[in-house]
Amino acid sequence: MLKIHSWRLILSLASDLHLLHLPDSNITMEFPLANTFGIRDSLYLQSANDFHRHRHRINKKLKHLRHALNIQTKDTKNYASKEKISSIDSESFEQDTRFGEVLLFNIERDLLYAEETRLSSEVNSSKSKERFIISKYKKALTYAKKLLTVIDSQNTSDSFLEVYVYTAIVEGSLNIFRKNWKLSINAFSVARCGLQYLYNKRELPTEFTKELYIELIDTIVDPGLKISSLRLSNDRSVPELLSFSRIHCHDKLLPYLVPAIEFISSKSPSFVTSSGDASDRTEILKSIQWFEYEANLANEELASKISSAILQSKDLSKNSAIALYDPSLASWQDALQIHTQDMARK
């Protein structure tokens, strides 16, 4: 009798036997992040082999989609001249959202391939593998930009913003490998502001949790912002990322991502508005005290925001001008938002 000792192997076998299914088309395009990164999380992908298996599951999904939509290309020798994916447009999407799925899962497949290769290169790295990873990110970005044009008519929905966030993550990741730090900062800043907005404003299907948005910030976006800012900075210090991203999301180095910021600004401007640089004028608190209780501030971003809020409150006590109230309130709201997200992770 075969004994299976690894729960990850059981999970992998279950998914290969279709006990785990990729999402149905009626919710895929409504929740694109949940149905890409969220699916990855549910499968606990960690190794290159895990990503390899999931990439093949996505391939199967794409094969079924192309067949159902009658856009398969049988003549692979002349694929470039006969492929039909490039003909997908907004009209196609309005008729059947599965056309959007084709583009979405093509992006995801290339991202999975890039991550699979990156993980395998940790053991055996080479310039050719690095070039291959870049080529996959470039291909994913091409599909992502195509998808943005296809869904343009949906530009009042949170789904629209999710596709922009997804694209910004692809753009940022590509520019990390290209060592184009200014572009990666702009892209990841757009992604961070979008994810914070979604975390606070959007509800996900029951099979997923809103922590997905925070996890994407913690595992992809913030590390990208940190390494990019360190590469550009002379003092080698990591900036306070909440304000940093809200400043650099407006850089407009990637004009095609601007609609994402315009969308957020039209709905809730505070998510793309920096509360100012008051933290530059004071020392960052290490702890806060309330009567006989003291709490250490392990989160540097939270510490910076509380320090900034306290300083601005002091400015307010010296000058009661109405104009000073907004930045003071914004700083306290930022601090509360960071603390709420921290508590949600625990």
Side-chain angles (χ1 to χ4, degrees):
M1 180 178 177
L2 176 64
K3 292 184 178 180
I4 300 176
H5 298 282
S6 170
W7 62 268
R8 288 177 61 203
L9 179 56
I10 295 173
L11 186 61
S12 179
L13 289 172
S15 57
D16 286 345
L17 291 170
H18 304 287
L19 296 177
L20 289 172
H21 297 286
L22 288 167
D24 295 329
S25 59
N26 61 333
I27 65 167
T28 299
M29 292 310 298
E30 188 176 353
F31 300 99
L33 289 175
N35 290 305
T36 50
F37 286 111
I39 293 293
R40 292 193 208 180
D41 281 352
S42 69
L43 294 174
Y44 301 98
L45 307 181
Q46 293 181 357
S47 68
N49 189 53
D50 293 338
F51 280 88
H52 176 81
R53 282 179 174 273
H54 188 45
R55 178 165 61 85
H56 281 282
R57 285 191 285 268
I58 295 293
N59 264 333
K60 290 178 183 178
K61 176 74 172 177
L62 280 168
K63 182 180 178 181
H64 291 310
L65 279 171
R66 288 194 298 265
H67 183 268
L69 295 168
N70 195 28
I71 56 172
Q72 69 270 43
T73 305
K74 296 179 181 179
D75 186 1
T76 55
K77 290 184 179 179
N78 299 295
Y79 182 82
S81 61
K82 295 188 177 181
E83 63 87 20
K84 300 176 182 178
I85 294 177
S86 60
S87 65
I88 296 174
D89 55 20
S90 56
E91 186 177 346
S92 306
F93 180 71
E94 288 177 6
Q95 291 175 353
D96 194 329
T97 58
R98 288 179 297 175
F99 283 105
E101 285 185 57
V102 171
L103 294 171
L104 182 70
F105 287 126
N106 267 288
I107 302 166
E108 182 68 355
R109 180 183 60 184
D110 287 323
L111 293 183
L112 290 167
Y113 211 162
E115 186 63 12
E116 175 190 337
T117 307
R118 186 190 69 80
L119 289 169
S120 66
S121 67
E122 289 180 353
V123 178
N124 184 20
S125 62
S126 67
K127 286 291 183 181
S128 62
K129 284 187 176 181
E130 186 174 332
R131 287 194 296 270
F132 181 78
I133 292 171
I134 290 174
S135 73
K136 287 301 169 185
Y137 276 123
K138 287 173 66 177
K139 191 176 177 184
L141 186 59
T142 298
Y143 282 123
K145 288 180 177 180
K146 173 77 172 175
L147 182 56
L148 289 177
T149 64
V150 166
I151 66 163
D152 188 58
S153 61
Q154 311 292 319
N155 60 10
T156 59
S157 70
D158 288 342
S159 306
F160 170 83
L161 179 60
E162 285 207 10
V163 175
Y164 267 95
V165 168
Y166 192 42
T167 305
I169 289 174
V170 178
E171 179 77 64
S173 301
L174 171 61
N175 282 293
I176 288 288
F177 277 93
R178 283 177 162 175
K179 298 180 174 57
N180 196 328
W181 311 119
K182 289 184 179 180
L183 290 184
S184 61
I185 286 173
N186 189 193
F188 281 133
S189 293
V190 171
R192 195 181 203 280
C193 292
L195 288 166
Q196 287 188 318
Y197 170 88
L198 290 165
Y199 178 79
N200 284 274
K201 302 294 184 180
R202 180 150 228 221
E203 294 298 329
L204 286 177
T206 54
E207 61 265 36
F208 301 105
T209 71
K210 292 173 66 172
E211 299 317 306
L212 170 65
Y213 299 130
I214 298 302
E215 185 175 340
L216 289 173
I217 291 176
D218 288 346
T219 60
I220 299 177
V221 175
D222 279 2
L225 283 172
K226 287 176 182 177
I227 189 172
S228 299
S229 63
L230 285 172
R231 295 290 185 176
L232 286 176
S233 175
N234 292 323
D235 59 10
R236 312 301 294 170
S237 61
V238 177
E240 187 271 299
L241 295 180
L242 188 143
S243 292
F244 185 79
S245 61
R246 291 182 181 182
I247 291 170
H248 289 285
C249 70
H250 298 286
D251 287 349
K252 296 184 179 180
L253 299 176
L254 300 161
Y256 77 93
L257 292 179
V258 170
I261 301 305
E262 292 175 343
F263 174 90
I264 299 170
S265 184
S266 69
K267 301 285 186 178
S268 188
S270 64
F271 288 98
V272 289
T273 304
S274 172
S275 58
D277 60 353
S279 59
D280 295 336
R281 297 184 281 126
T282 188
E283 291 184 9
I284 304 300
L285 292 173
K286 301 296 182 184
S287 64
I288 54 175
Q289 191 164 356
W290 185 70
F291 292 98
E292 70 272 24
Y293 302 101
E294 185 174 5
N296 293 325
L297 295 173
N299 186 323
E300 293 181 3
E301 191 174 17
L302 176 60
S304 175
K305 280 300 169 188
I306 292 177
S307 301
S308 174
I310 290 173
L311 180 61
Q312 289 177 327
S313 296
K314 289 179 180 178
D315 291 343
L316 194 59
S317 65
K318 297 175 185 176
N319 186 344
S320 59
I322 294 177
L324 294 177
Y325 280 84
D326 284 347
S328 177
L329 178 61
S331 287
W332 284 114
Q333 287 176 331
D334 286 346
L336 177 60
Q337 181 183 335
I338 296 167
H339 179 62
T340 301
Q341 291 173 355
D342 267 356
M343 295 300 293
R345 295 185 185 107
K346 297 177 180 178

